Amino acid sequence: MNAPTVSDCPAMPSSHRTMPPLRQGRRWLRTGLTIVVVALGIALASCPSCWTDPRQLGINLTLTLAYTVSLWLVNGYSVDWLDGVARWRTEPVRRLLLTVVVSLGGSLLVIVLINYAFIVLYLGRPVATLWDAGSTGRYLFPLICTSIISLVLHSRSFLLGWREALVRNERLQKEMAQAEAETLRQQLDPHFMFNALNALTSLVEEEPKVAVRFIRQLSLVYRYVLDARGREVVPLHDELAFAESYLFLQRIRYGEALQVTMPAAAEVPPQAVVPPLSLQLLIENVLKHNVATAAQPLQLRIELTPDGRQLRVVNTLRPRRVAPGESAGIGLPNLQGRYRHLTQEPVQVERGESEFSVTLPVLELMC
Protein backbone atom coordinates (compact mmCIF):
# COMPACT_ATOMS: atom_id res chain seq x y z
CA MET A 1 0.00 0.00 0.00
CA ASN A 2 2.94 2.32 -0.62
CA ALA A 3 2.29 5.71 -2.17
CA PRO A 4 4.40 8.63 -3.41
CA THR A 5 4.77 11.62 -1.16
CA VAL A 6 3.55 15.11 -1.90
CA SER A 7 7.10 16.27 -2.57
CA ASP A 8 7.31 13.81 -5.46
CA CYS A 9 3.78 14.19 -6.79
CA PRO A 10 2.27 17.16 -5.02
CA ALA A 11 -1.41 17.42 -4.36
CA MET A 12 -3.17 20.56 -5.46
CA PRO A 13 -1.67 23.44 -3.47
CA SER A 14 -3.51 25.68 -1.16
CA SER A 15 -3.90 29.38 -2.08
CA HIS A 16 -2.15 32.27 -0.34
CA ARG A 17 -3.95 33.73 2.62
CA THR A 18 -5.51 37.12 2.02
CA MET A 19 -3.53 40.00 3.49
CA PRO A 20 -5.41 42.09 6.10
CA PRO A 21 -6.68 45.45 4.70
CA LEU A 22 -4.61 47.59 7.10
CA ARG A 23 -1.42 45.72 6.32
CA GLN A 24 -2.20 45.85 2.60
CA GLY A 25 -2.75 49.62 2.82
CA ARG A 26 0.59 50.11 4.55
CA ARG A 27 2.26 48.00 1.90
CA TRP A 28 0.81 50.13 -0.91
CA LEU A 29 1.85 53.32 0.92
CA ARG A 30 5.44 52.08 1.31
CA THR A 31 5.50 51.00 -2.33
CA GLY A 32 4.19 54.39 -3.51
CA LEU A 33 6.73 56.34 -1.48
CA THR A 34 9.52 54.09 -2.73
CA ILE A 35 8.49 54.64 -6.35
CA VAL A 36 8.38 58.44 -5.91
CA VAL A 37 11.81 58.54 -4.23
CA VAL A 38 13.34 56.24 -6.86
CA ALA A 39 11.82 58.27 -9.73
CA LEU A 40 13.02 61.57 -8.26
CA GLY A 41 16.52 60.20 -7.73
CA ILE A 42 16.77 58.85 -11.27
CA ALA A 43 15.41 62.10 -12.75
CA LEU A 44 17.93 64.27 -10.94
CA ALA A 45 20.86 61.91 -11.54
CA SER A 46 20.19 61.41 -15.25
CA CYS A 47 19.77 65.12 -16.06
CA PRO A 48 22.12 67.39 -14.05
CA SER A 49 21.25 70.39 -16.26
CA CYS A 50 17.59 70.07 -15.22
CA TRP A 51 18.47 71.51 -11.79
CA THR A 52 18.40 74.98 -13.33
CA ASP A 53 15.49 74.42 -15.73
CA PRO A 54 12.20 73.74 -13.89
CA ARG A 55 10.33 72.93 -17.14
CA GLN A 56 12.91 70.38 -18.24
CA LEU A 57 13.02 68.96 -14.72
CA GLY A 58 9.23 68.55 -14.74
CA ILE A 59 9.28 66.75 -18.10
CA ASN A 60 12.14 64.51 -17.04
CA LEU A 61 10.51 63.74 -13.67
CA THR A 62 7.17 62.96 -15.37
CA LEU A 63 8.83 60.57 -17.83
CA THR A 64 10.89 58.93 -15.10
CA LEU A 65 7.82 58.55 -12.89
CA ALA A 66 5.85 57.06 -15.79
CA TYR A 67 8.65 54.58 -16.48
CA THR A 68 9.07 53.67 -12.81
CA VAL A 69 5.36 53.22 -12.04
CA SER A 70 4.62 51.33 -15.26
CA LEU A 71 7.62 49.03 -15.03
CA TRP A 72 7.03 48.40 -11.32
CA LEU A 73 3.37 47.50 -11.93
CA VAL A 74 4.17 45.31 -14.95
CA ASN A 75 6.81 43.37 -13.07
CA GLY A 76 4.83 43.30 -9.83
CA TYR A 77 1.68 41.90 -11.42
CA SER A 78 3.73 39.51 -13.55
CA VAL A 79 5.17 38.07 -10.32
CA ASP A 80 1.66 37.45 -8.93
CA TRP A 81 0.51 35.95 -12.24
CA LEU A 82 3.56 33.73 -12.60
CA ASP A 83 3.14 32.49 -9.01
CA GLY A 84 -0.16 30.97 -10.11
CA VAL A 85 1.24 29.53 -13.35
CA ALA A 86 4.63 28.12 -12.33
CA ARG A 87 6.00 28.23 -8.79
CA TRP A 88 9.71 28.42 -8.05
CA ARG A 89 9.52 25.43 -5.69
CA THR A 90 7.92 23.01 -8.12
CA GLU A 91 8.94 24.25 -11.62
CA PRO A 92 12.12 26.36 -11.29
CA VAL A 93 13.31 26.05 -14.92
CA ARG A 94 9.90 26.83 -16.43
CA ARG A 95 9.46 29.71 -13.99
CA LEU A 96 12.84 31.19 -14.92
CA LEU A 97 12.08 31.06 -18.66
CA LEU A 98 8.62 32.55 -18.18
CA THR A 99 10.08 35.27 -15.95
CA VAL A 100 12.56 36.34 -18.63
CA VAL A 101 9.97 36.32 -21.43
CA VAL A 102 7.13 37.99 -19.52
CA SER A 103 9.26 40.54 -17.67
CA LEU A 104 11.37 41.71 -20.61
CA GLY A 105 8.52 41.45 -23.12
CA GLY A 106 6.07 43.38 -20.94
CA SER A 107 8.68 45.97 -20.02
CA LEU A 108 9.69 46.55 -23.66
CA LEU A 109 6.04 47.07 -24.59
CA VAL A 110 5.64 49.66 -21.83
CA ILE A 111 8.82 51.48 -22.89
CA VAL A 112 7.64 51.65 -26.52
CA LEU A 113 4.23 52.99 -25.47
CA ILE A 114 5.74 55.70 -23.25
CA ASN A 115 8.15 56.76 -26.00
CA TYR A 116 5.26 56.86 -28.47
CA ALA A 117 3.20 59.04 -26.13
CA PHE A 118 6.06 61.46 -25.53
CA ILE A 119 7.73 61.65 -28.96
CA VAL A 120 4.79 61.21 -31.31
CA LEU A 121 1.82 62.56 -29.33
CA TYR A 122 3.52 65.24 -27.17
CA LEU A 123 6.38 66.44 -29.41
CA GLY A 124 4.54 65.73 -32.68
CA ARG A 125 7.39 63.94 -34.39
CA PRO A 126 6.98 61.11 -36.96
CA VAL A 127 6.60 57.52 -35.78
CA ALA A 128 9.84 56.64 -37.58
CA THR A 129 11.68 58.71 -34.97
CA LEU A 130 11.06 55.90 -32.50
CA TRP A 131 13.46 53.66 -34.45
CA ASP A 132 16.09 56.10 -35.68
CA ALA A 133 19.82 55.51 -35.15
CA GLY A 134 20.02 57.52 -31.95
CA SER A 135 17.09 55.85 -30.19
CA THR A 136 19.09 53.04 -28.57
CA GLY A 137 19.58 54.94 -25.33
CA ARG A 138 15.86 55.56 -24.95
CA TYR A 139 15.29 51.78 -24.71
CA LEU A 140 18.54 50.52 -23.22
CA PHE A 141 18.50 52.61 -20.02
CA PRO A 142 14.87 51.78 -19.10
CA LEU A 143 15.55 48.10 -19.82
CA ILE A 144 18.53 48.17 -17.46
CA CYS A 145 16.31 49.75 -14.79
CA THR A 146 13.70 47.11 -15.56
CA SER A 147 16.20 44.33 -15.06
CA ILE A 148 17.07 45.73 -11.64
CA ILE A 149 13.42 46.11 -10.64
CA SER A 150 12.59 42.67 -12.02
CA LEU A 151 15.53 41.10 -10.17
CA VAL A 152 14.37 42.65 -6.89
CA LEU A 153 10.70 41.63 -7.27
CA HIS A 154 11.30 38.12 -8.57
CA SER A 155 14.05 37.48 -6.01
CA ARG A 156 11.63 38.59 -3.31
CA SER A 157 8.99 36.21 -4.71
CA PHE A 158 11.48 33.36 -4.74
CA LEU A 159 12.63 34.02 -1.17
CA LEU A 160 9.07 34.38 0.14
CA GLY A 161 8.04 31.16 -1.59
CA TRP A 162 11.08 29.37 -0.21
CA ARG A 163 10.40 30.65 3.31
CA GLU A 164 6.71 29.75 3.06
CA ALA A 165 7.60 26.24 1.91
CA LEU A 166 9.97 25.79 4.86
CA VAL A 167 7.38 27.02 7.35
CA ARG A 168 4.61 24.89 5.85
CA ASN A 169 6.84 21.83 5.77
CA GLU A 170 7.88 22.31 9.39
CA ARG A 171 4.28 22.70 10.54
CA LEU A 172 3.14 19.76 8.46
CA GLN A 173 5.89 17.54 9.85
CA LYS A 174 4.93 18.53 13.38
CA GLU A 175 1.24 17.86 12.82
CA MET A 176 1.98 14.58 11.04
CA ALA A 177 4.13 13.49 13.98
CA GLN A 178 1.30 14.34 16.37
CA ALA A 179 -1.20 12.49 14.16
CA GLU A 180 1.05 9.44 13.95
CA ALA A 181 1.55 9.39 17.71
CA GLU A 182 -2.19 9.69 18.35
CA THR A 183 -3.04 7.07 15.72
CA LEU A 184 -0.45 4.61 16.99
CA ARG A 185 -1.61 5.23 20.54
CA GLN A 186 -5.19 4.39 19.53
CA GLN A 187 -4.34 1.40 17.36
CA LEU A 188 -1.81 -0.12 19.77
CA ASP A 189 -3.92 0.71 22.78
CA PRO A 190 -4.18 -2.29 25.12
CA HIS A 191 -7.98 -2.05 25.04
CA PHE A 192 -7.98 -2.45 21.27
CA MET A 193 -5.66 -5.47 21.44
CA PHE A 194 -7.59 -6.89 24.39
CA ASN A 195 -10.89 -6.69 22.48
CA ALA A 196 -9.29 -8.13 19.33
CA LEU A 197 -7.79 -11.09 21.20
CA ASN A 198 -11.06 -11.76 23.02
CA ALA A 199 -12.91 -11.81 19.72
CA LEU A 200 -10.23 -14.03 18.20
CA THR A 201 -10.45 -16.49 21.08
CA SER A 202 -14.17 -16.93 20.53
CA LEU A 203 -13.71 -17.30 16.78
CA VAL A 204 -10.98 -19.94 17.10
CA GLU A 205 -13.33 -22.10 19.15
CA GLU A 206 -16.52 -21.52 17.20
CA GLU A 207 -15.57 -20.43 13.63
CA PRO A 208 -12.00 -21.35 12.71
CA LYS A 209 -12.30 -20.13 9.12
CA VAL A 210 -13.47 -16.71 10.24
CA ALA A 211 -10.65 -16.69 12.80
CA VAL A 212 -8.10 -17.15 10.01
CA ARG A 213 -9.58 -14.23 8.12
CA PHE A 214 -9.64 -12.17 11.33
CA ILE A 215 -5.92 -12.75 11.84
CA ARG A 216 -5.20 -11.71 8.23
CA GLN A 217 -7.24 -8.52 8.55
CA LEU A 218 -5.59 -7.68 11.86
CA SER A 219 -2.20 -8.13 10.21
CA LEU A 220 -3.23 -5.85 7.33
CA VAL A 221 -4.36 -3.17 9.78
CA TYR A 222 -1.07 -3.10 11.64
CA ARG A 223 0.97 -3.32 8.43
CA TYR A 224 -0.86 -0.34 6.98
CA VAL A 225 -0.37 1.72 10.14
CA LEU A 226 3.38 1.08 9.97
CA ASP A 227 3.63 1.65 6.20
CA ALA A 228 1.68 4.93 6.40
CA ARG A 229 4.08 6.49 8.88
CA GLY A 230 5.89 9.51 7.41
CA ARG A 231 3.70 9.72 4.30
CA GLU A 232 1.82 12.90 3.44
CA VAL A 233 -0.80 11.27 1.23
CA VAL A 234 -1.81 7.76 0.21
CA PRO A 235 -4.06 6.54 -2.62
CA LEU A 236 -7.73 6.62 -1.70
CA HIS A 237 -7.98 2.99 -2.93
CA ASP A 238 -5.50 1.94 -0.23
CA GLU A 239 -7.16 4.02 2.48
CA LEU A 240 -10.55 2.46 1.71
CA ALA A 241 -9.02 -1.04 1.68
CA PHE A 242 -7.52 -0.34 5.09
CA ALA A 243 -10.85 0.95 6.36
CA GLU A 244 -12.51 -2.26 5.15
CA SER A 245 -9.99 -4.35 7.12
CA TYR A 246 -10.40 -2.18 10.21
CA LEU A 247 -14.20 -2.34 9.99
CA PHE A 248 -14.08 -6.12 9.58
CA LEU A 249 -12.44 -6.34 13.03
CA GLN A 250 -15.01 -3.97 14.49
CA ARG A 251 -17.93 -5.90 12.96
CA ILE A 252 -16.73 -9.04 14.70
CA ARG A 253 -16.88 -7.13 17.97
CA TYR A 254 -20.14 -5.24 17.38
CA GLY A 255 -22.01 -7.77 15.25
CA GLU A 256 -25.37 -6.49 14.01
CA ALA A 257 -25.01 -3.37 16.14
CA LEU A 258 -22.73 -1.83 13.48
CA GLN A 259 -23.96 -1.44 9.91
CA VAL A 260 -21.61 0.02 7.31
CA THR A 261 -21.84 1.00 3.66
CA MET A 262 -18.80 1.89 1.57
CA PRO A 263 -18.22 3.10 -2.00
CA ALA A 264 -17.50 0.53 -4.69
CA ALA A 265 -13.93 0.30 -5.95
CA ALA A 266 -15.06 1.39 -9.43
CA GLU A 267 -16.26 4.73 -8.02
CA VAL A 268 -12.79 5.74 -6.77
CA PRO A 269 -10.75 7.94 -9.17
CA PRO A 270 -7.31 6.39 -9.81
CA GLN A 271 -5.39 9.59 -8.97
CA ALA A 272 -7.36 10.34 -5.77
CA VAL A 273 -5.33 10.65 -2.58
CA VAL A 274 -6.01 11.53 1.05
CA PRO A 275 -3.87 11.94 4.18
CA PRO A 276 -3.08 8.49 5.62
CA LEU A 277 -5.23 7.07 8.43
CA SER A 278 -7.79 9.86 8.08
CA LEU A 279 -10.62 7.34 7.73
CA GLN A 280 -9.38 5.36 10.73
CA LEU A 281 -9.49 8.49 12.86
CA LEU A 282 -13.06 9.27 11.82
CA ILE A 283 -14.27 5.68 12.26
CA GLU A 284 -12.60 5.51 15.68
CA ASN A 285 -14.37 8.73 16.70
CA VAL A 286 -17.73 7.34 15.56
CA LEU A 287 -17.31 4.16 17.60
CA LYS A 288 -15.91 5.99 20.61
CA HIS A 289 -18.60 8.64 20.90
CA ASN A 290 -21.74 6.67 19.98
CA VAL A 291 -23.71 3.79 21.44
CA ALA A 292 -24.26 0.76 19.20
CA THR A 293 -26.76 -1.97 20.09
CA ALA A 294 -28.54 -4.67 18.14
CA ALA A 295 -31.85 -2.98 18.91
CA GLN A 296 -30.57 0.38 17.68
CA PRO A 297 -27.75 -0.29 15.20
CA LEU A 298 -25.16 2.38 14.57
CA GLN A 299 -25.36 3.32 10.89
CA LEU A 300 -22.07 4.34 9.29
CA ARG A 301 -21.83 5.50 5.69
CA ILE A 302 -18.61 6.20 3.80
CA GLU A 303 -19.50 7.73 0.45
CA LEU A 304 -17.95 9.61 -2.43
CA THR A 305 -19.71 12.57 -4.00
CA PRO A 306 -20.71 12.04 -7.66
CA ASP A 307 -17.76 14.12 -8.91
CA GLY A 308 -15.33 12.13 -6.75
CA ARG A 309 -13.91 15.25 -5.12
CA GLN A 310 -15.22 14.75 -1.59
CA LEU A 311 -15.37 11.80 0.79
CA ARG A 312 -18.11 11.88 3.43
CA VAL A 313 -18.25 9.87 6.64
CA VAL A 314 -21.78 9.98 8.05
CA ASN A 315 -23.10 8.27 11.16
CA THR A 316 -26.33 8.23 13.12
CA LEU A 317 -26.09 10.18 16.36
CA ARG A 318 -26.30 7.97 19.45
CA PRO A 319 -24.11 9.96 21.87
CA ARG A 320 -22.55 8.30 24.88
CA ARG A 321 -20.55 9.70 27.77
CA VAL A 322 -16.81 9.35 27.18
CA ALA A 323 -14.72 8.57 30.26
CA PRO A 324 -12.00 11.10 31.21
CA GLY A 325 -8.74 10.29 29.44
CA GLU A 326 -10.45 8.08 26.87
CA SER A 327 -10.31 10.80 24.22
CA ALA A 328 -7.54 13.41 23.85
CA GLY A 329 -9.74 15.60 21.65
CA ILE A 330 -6.95 16.44 19.17
CA GLY A 331 -7.68 13.94 16.41
CA LEU A 332 -10.12 15.94 14.28
CA PRO A 333 -8.39 19.33 14.77
CA ASN A 334 -5.11 17.67 13.83
CA LEU A 335 -6.65 16.23 10.66
CA GLN A 336 -8.02 19.67 9.77
CA GLY A 337 -4.55 21.15 10.27
CA ARG A 338 -2.97 18.55 8.00
CA TYR A 339 -5.50 19.37 5.29
CA ARG A 340 -4.80 23.10 5.59
CA HIS A 341 -1.25 22.44 4.42
CA LEU A 342 -2.39 20.38 1.44
CA THR A 343 -5.38 22.27 0.04
CA GLN A 344 -7.47 25.39 0.50
CA GLU A 345 -10.62 23.28 0.74
CA PRO A 346 -11.63 22.84 4.39
CA VAL A 347 -12.66 19.72 6.24
CA GLN A 348 -16.39 20.20 6.79
CA VAL A 349 -17.90 19.05 10.09
CA GLU A 350 -21.68 19.06 10.40
CA ARG A 351 -23.85 17.98 13.34
CA GLY A 352 -27.56 17.60 12.68
CA GLU A 353 -30.41 16.38 14.83
CA SER A 354 -29.95 12.73 13.90
CA GLU A 355 -26.64 12.55 11.99
CA PHE A 356 -23.04 13.63 12.30
CA SER A 357 -20.90 13.98 9.19
CA VAL A 358 -17.34 14.88 8.26
CA THR A 359 -16.53 15.71 4.65
CA LEU A 360 -12.93 15.29 3.52
CA PRO A 361 -11.64 16.94 0.32
CA VAL A 362 -10.24 14.30 -2.05
CA LEU A 363 -6.90 15.49 -3.41
CA GLU A 364 -5.42 14.63 -6.79
CA LEU A 365 -1.83 13.90 -7.67
CA MET A 366 -0.47 16.42 -10.17
CA CYS A 367 2.00 14.07 -11.88
Side-chain angles (χ1 to χ4, degrees), residues 130-305:
L130 296 174
W131 322 112
D132 60 20
S135 63
T136 304
R138 290 197 298 266
Y139 300 101
L140 185 60
F141 181 72
L143 278 178
I144 293 174
C145 295
T146 294
S147 300
I148 297 174
I149 293 174
S150 178
L151 179 62
V152 171
L153 293 176
H154 289 280
S155 297
R156 179 178 179 274
S157 172
F158 172 77
L159 291 175
L160 288 177
W162 178 61
R163 185 182 68 176
E164 179 188 0
L166 289 179
V167 172
R168 290 177 67 245
N169 183 66
E170 182 179 350
R171 289 178 180 173
L172 181 58
Q173 293 298 326
K174 181 179 178 180
E175 291 178 356
M176 286 184 64
Q178 292 176 347
E180 290 167 10
E182 175 66 12
T183 299
L184 289 174
R185 186 195 67 79
Q186 291 179 350
Q187 290 295 347
L188 301 177
D189 186 83
H191 292 290
F192 175 79
M193 181 59 73
F194 177 78
N195 292 329
L197 291 177
N198 271 345
L200 181 59
T201 301
S202 301
L203 289 174
V204 168
E205 296 175 353
E206 301 173 6
E207 300 181 74
K209 292 184 178 180
V210 178
V212 171
R213 185 181 176 192
F214 185 94
I215 294 171
R216 289 174 179 170
Q217 298 298 327
L218 183 62
S219 174
L220 289 175
V221 165
Y222 277 82
R223 170 59 67 87
Y224 185 85
V225 171
L226 294 175
D227 286 347
R229 296 182 63 184
R231 298 189 181 278
E232 295 175 337
V233 292
V234 293
L236 181 55
H237 277 289
D238 291 353
E239 185 74 5
L240 288 170
F242 160 75
E244 184 66 40
S245 298
Y246 182 75
L247 285 168
F248 175 83
L249 304 179
Q250 299 295 351
R251 287 194 195 98
I252 297 297
R253 175 186 171 190
Y254 285 92
E256 295 299 322
L258 177 62
Q259 299 181 5
V260 183
T261 58
M262 298 186 65
E267 299 177 24
V268 182
Q271 295 296 318
V273 294
V274 293
L277 302 170
S278 46
L279 277 181
Q280 179 274 335
L281 185 149
L282 297 179
I283 296 170
E284 182 75 15
N285 279 348
V286 170
L287 299 177
K288 183 181 297 183
H289 294 281
N290 292 276
V291 176
T293 63
Q296 291 186 316
L298 179 62
Q299 304 283 343
L300 174 63
R301 302 195 314 272
I302 301 175
E303 54 192 22
L304 273 170
T305 54

Side-chain angles (χ1 to χ4, degrees), residues 67 70-71 104-121 127 130-131 135 138-139 142-143 146:
Y67 277 124
S70 301
L71 295 177
L104 293 183
S107 300
L108 184 59
L109 178 61
V110 166
I111 293 169
V112 170
L113 291 176
I114 292 176
N115 274 278
Y116 178 83
F118 177 67
I119 296 174
V120 178
L121 300 181
V127 177
L130 296 174
W131 322 112
S135 63
R138 290 197 298 266
Y139 300 101
L143 278 178
T146 294

